[in-house]
């Protein structure tokens, strides 16, 4: 799916004048693809937002300042 979109939306539609132009166009397309466009496989969220939400959801809760028994130190 990604390769098809890249080819259809950028490579087939753009006549690159130089390697620098190709790199610039690809960077702009990639930024749009990853930060703006919703992806149905990711709950209609852009990959950057989905990744940010996934990282925070996967982090274990902090035990600093907790009254949880696992966080209490044993005096010795």
């Amino acid at each position: 799916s990604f390769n098809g979109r890249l080819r259809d939306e950028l490579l087939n539609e753009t006549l690159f004048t130089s390697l620098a132009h190709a790199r610039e166009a690809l960077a702009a397309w990639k930024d749009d693809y990853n930060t703006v466009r919703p992806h149905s496989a990711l709950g209609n969220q852009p990959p950057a937002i989905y990744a940010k939400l996934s990282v925070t959801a996967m982090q274990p809760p902090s035990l600093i300042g907790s009254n949880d028994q696992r966080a209490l130190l044993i005096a010795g």
Side-chain angles (χ1 to χ4, degrees), residues 4-69:
R5 288 185 194 275
L6 175 64
R7 179 159 301 284
D8 290 345
E9 297 173 11
L10 180 68
L11 301 178
N12 289 344
E13 300 294 324
T14 308
L15 181 61
F16 301 109
T17 56
S18 66
L19 181 57
H21 178 227
R23 287 180 175 158
E24 182 179 307
L26 183 57
W29 187 88
K30 184 179 86 168
D31 183 57
D32 177 66
Y33 187 84
N34 288 326
T35 60
V36 177
R37 295 182 187 195
H39 294 250
S40 60
L42 305 176
N44 289 322
Q45 296 176 351
I49 292 174
Y50 181 81
K52 200 178 289 187
L53 293 174
S54 295
V55 167
T56 56
M58 293 178 64
Q59 290 178 347
S62 175
L63 296 178
I64 297 174
S66 173
N67 287 330
D68 188 344
Q69 288 293 331

Side-chain angles (χ1 to χ4, degrees), residues 69 71-76:
Q69 288 293 331
L72 298 176
L73 298 175
I74 300 172

